[in-house]
Amino acid sequence: QVQLVESGGGLVQAGGSLRLSCAATGRTFSTAIMGWFRQAPGKEREFVAAITWSTGVTFYADSLKGRFTISRMYDKNTVYLQMDSLNAEDTAVYYCAAKRLYTNIRMDSDYSYWGRGTQVTVSS
């Protein structure tokens, strides 16, 4: 089992930045991919970014590339999501997730472990 706890969400003005953190505990050695997803009110959950745990290779949703940056601190079992130039459309609950296989990185149904989410609200 892997436990994930997100933090860093909050209220920010349009154009501002936030950095989300996801702390992983438990059997983290079995983790292949760490990902971030988000779900806005009335919308389906969507892929934001992912990173390979051991090598740090990154993947992004095309629409977010350039504004969001995923990174990890391996020795602290923590993954970060730096979000810049935020706008109202980025308002959502952001979830951290983990999976054991290097497949279907952008599919939320393929992730085995999930945090409870952290709310990000961008005011315009």
Side-chain angles (χ1 to χ4, degrees), residues 46-65:
E46 64 173 349
F47 171 76
V48 173
I51 189 167
T52 58
W53 187 241
S54 60
T55 60
V57 176
T58 58
F59 305 84
Y60 295 94
D62 290 341
S63 61
L64 301 176
K65 192 178 293 186

Side-chain angles (χ1 to χ4, degrees), residues 13-105:
Q13 288 188 333
S17 299
L18 277 177
R19 188 176 81 155
L20 305 183
S21 300
C22 174
T25 58
R27 299 172 65 87
T28 57
F29 60 86
S30 65
T31 298
I33 301 289
M34 295 286 291
W36 286 97
F37 291 79
R38 69 184 184 182
Q39 187 166 22
K43 295 186 177 181
E44 294 186 353
R45 188 161 55 189
E46 64 173 349
F47 171 76
V48 173
I51 189 167
T52 58
W53 187 241
S54 60
T55 60
V57 176
T58 58
F59 305 84
Y60 295 94
D62 290 341
S63 61
L64 301 176
K65 192 178 293 186
R67 291 196 301 122
F68 287 18
T69 304
I70 189 171
S71 62
R72 94 259 191 263
M73 192 164 288
Y74 191 82
D75 56 344
K76 292 190 176 182
N77 288 339
T78 302
V79 175
Y80 304 96
L81 184 68
Q82 176 68 38
M83 305 185 294
D84 298 319
S85 301
L86 287 163
N87 57 63
E89 288 70 39
D90 295 316
T91 295
V93 177
Y94 284 72
Y95 296 92
C96 178
K99 66 196 304 291
R100 295 179 177 177
L101 299 178
Y102 294 93
T103 56
N104 301 322
I105 290 172

